[in-house]
Amino acid sequence: MKHLRDLSDDELLFGLEKLVCSQRELTARLIGLLGEVEERRLHLKAAYSSMFEFCREKLRMSEGEAFRRITAARLLRRFPVVYELIESGSVHLSALTLLRDHLTDENHLELFRQASGKTKRELEALLAARFPKPDAPSRIRKLPPPKPPESGAEPVQRPLLSALPPPKPVKPVEPLSAARYKIQFTADAGLKEKLERAQNLLSHSNPSGDLAVLVERAVDLLLAILEKKKLGKTDRPRRAASRAKRAAAVTRSVRRAVFARDGMQCSFQDASGRRCQARALLELDHIQAQALGGCGEAGNVRVLCRAHNRLHAEETFGKQHIKNKIHFRQKKYQLKTAEQRSQVDNDPLPEVAQDKLLSALTNLGFRASETRGALRQIGQGKSRLSPSAPMTGLLREALQLLTPDARV
């Protein structure tokens, strides 16, 4: 191959165009292969909990590369024409990420035709016209006064808005040093009041009101609650349940033993012994399914992430069967949620009061379903108080309904 400096202008341009065409062909093939990998669940069998993790760690892609290519691969499985569009360069991967939420079986050919050859900004304008969003809320905020120019300094020429680079996204967690992190989030008025109240209550041991100290104390308490609920942790473990009870479900003692054995990490391993790195969405899985006679003893239970738990279920009962089960469960949840909303909408108890009472009572340990029932009785006039009574009275009345055998 000639040195680049030895190439003529025509040879340089021709070689560049040829490489771009080859890159598009390779990109189309790569996306097709990624789609097939996900369809066959090969990333899960290789001990990766998601396609994103597989692309990042196994294929060494950046976050942006992985996101765009996975999006294109999933669209390709729905609309095979995507392969030709990518190969020809008619539609780039950034365009596909913008189009993905608007594509249907009826409109995809038309949208692909309109998006062909357009830049990202042109496509954003097209989608805004085709699928308009509601107006942004009007806001008025006070700006700091402009700094007076220094004596003898020339006035600063501010660039046009369109010439400015896009704003840098704010990272919620940003490392500052080897062991220090900047954590940032937005809070509503209710959370702000709770934080200020906690600061005041903790002011004797935290006079500076440092939020880091407050959050760490709060997270310690939350972890104790979650570990008790999710992992079955306790300072006073009870005696193991009978065999008959263990055969029906996973007991707390078995839950503790399984998490102590497997740790807070998915236990799935591929053929080479690589263990899945997932530490979120962990679930307990029966190695021999309960439906096939599997018991709830520790030897038959393991920690899996949700993706590998589903993979095991698909391998046991079939992919379509599990898909139908999930669809049925989602429909059932949607109907239940719609029914609850309908009941709440028919209650004359003000929505603000319902939210505050529900939050207060569930924080006291009452179940949300029981609490909604008590509030529904108050709202429908089945209690001693009117729905328009003061909040303290409504709270006492709800507690009386929830604990009829106790004095409130």
Side-chain angles (χ1 to χ4, degrees):
M1 178 179 178
K2 290 184 179 180
H3 193 279
L4 293 179
R5 293 182 180 178
D6 297 332
L7 295 176
S8 65
D9 293 349
D10 292 339
E11 288 175 328
L12 183 60
L13 292 175
F14 176 78
L16 182 61
E17 292 176 0
K18 187 176 179 180
L19 283 175
V20 169
C21 291
S22 299
Q23 182 201 26
R24 289 171 180 159
E25 294 174 2
L26 289 173
T27 300
R29 290 180 60 189
L30 170 64
I31 288 169
L33 291 173
L34 287 177
E36 191 62 21
V37 165
E38 185 170 33
E39 178 67 20
R40 298 187 189 186
R41 304 291 197 266
L42 298 182
H43 61 294
L44 296 176
K45 295 176 182 179
Y48 294 95
S49 62
S50 67
M51 278 298 294
F52 186 80
E53 183 184 357
F54 176 80
C55 290
R56 278 285 297 112
E57 296 189 14
K58 180 71 173 179
L59 305 182
R60 304 296 183 185
M61 294 183 186
S62 68
E63 287 85 348
E65 281 181 302
F67 170 72
R68 288 189 293 271
R69 281 153 181 76
I70 293 171
T71 299
R74 290 172 179 170
L75 289 176
L76 175 57
R77 285 161 57 190
R78 289 178 57 197
F79 312 112
V81 70
V82 168
Y83 190 96
E84 299 176 6
L85 295 173
I86 296 174
E87 189 178 35
S88 64
S90 301
V91 175
H92 46 77
L93 300 186
S94 295
L96 292 175
T97 60
L98 292 173
L99 290 168
R100 63 172 182 158
D101 294 331
H102 304 290
L103 294 170
T104 64
D105 293 337
E106 294 76 22
N107 71 8
H108 71 279
L109 292 177
E110 179 188 359
L111 280 180
F112 284 144
R113 178 180 56 79
Q114 293 179 350
S116 179
K118 284 187 169 54
T119 64
K120 183 178 179 180
R121 181 168 295 183
E122 291 171 342
L123 184 56
E124 287 173 340
L126 184 151
L127 293 175
R130 180 77 181 267
F131 307 97
K133 298 179 181 179
D135 293 344
S138 300
R139 290 177 181 173
I140 299 177
R141 64 186 182 95
K142 184 178 180 180
L143 296 176
K147 294 181 180 180
E150 298 179 4
S151 57
E154 296 182 1
V156 178
Q157 297 293 329
R158 300 192 178 276
L160 295 174
L161 184 60
S162 59
L164 292 172
K168 185 178 180 181
V170 177
K171 297 180 180 179
V173 179
E174 180 181 348
L176 300 177
S177 64
R180 305 291 292 175
Y181 295 85
K182 172 185 175 182
I183 299 177
Q184 181 175 338
F185 64 93
T186 301
D188 59 14
L191 178 55
K192 175 179 175 293
E193 291 176 4
K194 293 176 184 178
L195 289 172
E196 290 174 345
R197 185 181 176 193
Q199 279 180 317
N200 293 334
L201 292 172
L202 198 63
S203 58
H204 291 87
S205 58
N206 183 29
S208 65
D210 187 357
L211 274 178
V213 175
L214 175 65
V215 171
E216 185 173 10
R217 292 279 295 273
V219 171
D220 286 340
L221 294 174
L222 178 61
L223 283 174
I225 296 172
L226 292 176
E227 287 177 349
K228 180 178 180 181
K229 180 180 179 181
K230 299 286 186 180
L231 311 183
K233 285 190 174 182
T234 179
D235 295 332
R236 301 172 63 185
R238 296 180 182 177
R239 189 174 57 184
S242 66
R243 176 174 294 275
K245 185 175 180 180
R246 289 204 306 270
V250 177
T251 63
R252 295 180 66 85
S253 60
V254 169
R255 181 180 290 268
R256 287 194 297 272
V258 171
F259 274 103
R261 181 194 67 207
D262 295 346
M264 285 292 296
Q265 182 179 339
C266 177
S267 64
F268 181 89
Q269 294 184 1
D270 67 359
S272 64
R274 182 191 182 277
R275 183 173 177 178
C276 175
Q277 301 297 303
R279 296 180 179 273
L281 297 177
L282 297 180
E283 301 172 348
L284 292 182
D285 170 66
H286 289 75
I287 299 173
Q288 182 183 4
Q290 277 187 305
L292 301 179
C295 66
E297 296 182 359
N300 191 50
V301 180
R302 59 185 174 182
V303 176
L304 290 183
C305 65
R306 180 171 295 175
H308 281 114
N309 195 353
R310 179 171 176 176
L311 174 67
H312 181 229
E314 290 177 347
E315 292 176 342
T316 304
F317 299 104
K319 187 183 297 185
Q320 190 59 44
H321 176 78
I322 298 301
K323 185 177 180 180
N324 293 340
K325 282 284 188 181
I326 293 175
H327 178 72
F328 174 76
R329 189 182 303 166
Q330 290 174 343
K331 282 290 184 183
K332 185 177 178 180
Y333 175 77
Q334 291 171 359
L335 289 174
K336 182 178 179 181
T337 304
E339 182 181 354
Q340 291 175 347
R341 288 177 179 172
S342 176
Q343 291 174 346
V344 171
D345 292 341
N346 294 330
D347 292 343
L349 192 63
E351 185 177 353
V352 174
Q354 286 192 48
D355 292 342
K356 288 184 177 180
L357 290 171
L358 180 63
S359 175
L361 292 167
T362 52
N363 286 336
L364 289 174
F366 295 102
R367 294 181 179 178
S369 58
E370 296 174 341
T371 303
R372 290 192 184 95
L375 297 181
R376 195 175 300 118
Q377 292 184 52
I378 297 174
Q380 294 172 351
K382 298 180 181 178
S383 68
R384 298 170 299 177
L385 287 183
S386 166
S388 59
M391 187 66 66
T392 54
L394 293 175
L395 180 60
R396 290 177 61 86
E397 183 66 16
L399 286 170
Q400 184 66 48
L401 292 171
L402 290 166
T403 55
D405 298 330
R407 279 189 159 186
V408 180

